[in-house]
Amino acid sequence: MEQFIFQHLIINKVMLLDILLAIVLGFAIGFEREITNKWAGLRTHMLVCLGSCIFTLLSIHAFPVYAHSPQADPARIAAQILTGIGFIGGGTVLRHGYSIYGLTTAATLWITASIGMACGCGFTALATICTVLAVGTLVLIRIFEKQYIHKGSKNPRRFKVSFYTEMNTADDIYSKIIQNFNSIFEINKVNSNSNPGLMKISFKLDIFDKNPVQFLHKELNLVEGIESISIQELYE
């Protein structure tokens, strides 16, 4: 009995390499999510991949007494990973009006869990290839979508617009902005700390036009009294 316990206190070198690889591959996918400013970023993906790997290793190696039993099912614990990832992924999906955000991040958590399971099973080549394909899909397909796919009403592009205006014209401009842009979902008006006498107005909206930046400049040029416009696209 003491020998059995002592053996399980020492981690197998192959298992250690699988765990380290799971962390590295989780980092690769999480890094892409982190630099695109997603809520589920670097640490989340690393932990999901690591946890999936550990649970899979436990499923295979933690119950040697029952390994040859007719009722043995080494995939039972690993199968529950999918249920747990469903809860985590569901927490990253947000809906605002007709727009849904976070589906891509939920999918990355799902694929990250599968990569961790592959590491736990010892399929390191499969896990590495899948990581390269996942990161390539996230980066290259985003570029392809921007170049060749028109953003329709199902998937509008989201922008944040900020500008300064004089105090005496701020209320009038604020009203015009609300009237001219019917897809605004957030708008703020605050006094400028760095420029006394000026008011800062910022708002977020969804744009359906094929050339959204040109569209915004054209519409904002019709409003008098706006100074130093800043336009920033908010990615999924």
Side-chain angles (χ1 to χ4, degrees):
M1 182 66 180
E2 293 180 356
Q3 183 180 4
F4 175 80
I5 296 175
F6 180 75
Q7 288 177 350
H8 286 76
L9 290 176
I10 303 175
I11 189 170
N12 186 289
K13 290 183 179 180
V14 176
M15 293 171 61
L16 178 60
L17 291 175
D18 291 339
I19 291 172
L20 294 176
L21 180 62
I23 295 176
V24 172
L25 298 182
F27 174 88
I29 298 178
F31 181 74
E32 190 281 336
R33 295 283 86 188
E34 191 73 38
I35 62 176
T36 50
N37 199 29
K38 303 299 181 294
W39 289 108
L42 200 59
R43 291 176 295 176
T44 303
H45 284 78
M46 291 176 68
L47 291 175
V48 165
C49 199
L50 174 61
S52 300
C53 179
I54 293 174
F55 276 120
T56 304
L57 288 171
L58 289 173
S59 296
I60 298 172
H61 302 286
F63 309 101
V65 177
Y66 306 101
H68 302 290
S69 172
Q71 291 80 27
D73 184 6
R76 185 173 296 176
I77 295 179
Q80 303 308 310
I81 295 174
L82 299 178
T83 303
I85 292 302
F87 281 102
I88 297 176
T92 66
V93 179
L94 302 173
R95 178 171 182 174
H96 186 88
Y98 47 77
S99 300
I100 299 177
Y101 299 90
L103 288 175
T104 301
T105 300
T108 61
L109 289 172
W110 182 62
I111 190 67
T112 301
S114 70
I115 291 170
M117 293 176 68
C119 290
C121 292
F123 297 124
T124 54
L126 175 64
T128 304
I129 292 172
C130 290
T131 302
V132 172
L133 291 175
V135 175
T137 299
L138 291 169
V139 176
L140 299 178
I141 299 302
R142 182 188 298 115
I143 297 173
F144 176 81
E145 288 176 340
K146 287 182 179 181
Q147 294 293 329
Y148 301 105
I149 299 179
H150 171 58
K151 301 289 185 178
S153 58
K154 184 178 179 181
N155 189 22
R157 294 172 67 176
R158 177 160 291 188
F159 287 85
K160 179 181 179 180
V161 180
S162 303
F163 59 85
Y164 291 93
T165 184
E166 299 289 340
M167 288 281 195
N168 56 351
T169 60
D171 291 337
D172 184 48
I173 292 177
Y174 187 88
S175 300
K176 289 181 179 179
I177 292 296
I178 295 177
Q179 293 174 1
N180 292 351
F181 299 98
N182 55 13
S183 60
I184 290 178
F185 61 88
E186 180 181 326
I187 185 168
N188 299 291
K189 181 175 62 174
V190 295
N191 292 328
S192 174
N193 295 326
S194 57
N195 298 295
L198 294 179
M199 183 78 71
K200 180 181 180 180
I201 298 177
S202 61
F203 59 93
K204 297 178 182 179
L205 76 167
D206 293 318
I207 301 295
F208 306 91
D209 195 85
K210 186 176 182 180
N211 300 304
V213 176
Q214 291 86 338
F215 169 80
L216 284 171
H217 273 290
K218 180 180 178 182
E219 293 296 321
L220 291 171
N221 284 335
L222 300 177
V223 182
E224 296 182 359
I226 293 180
E227 300 179 7
S228 62
I229 301 174
S230 171
I231 299 177
Q232 176 187 2
E233 183 171 4
L234 304 176
Y235 296 99
E236 181 188 348

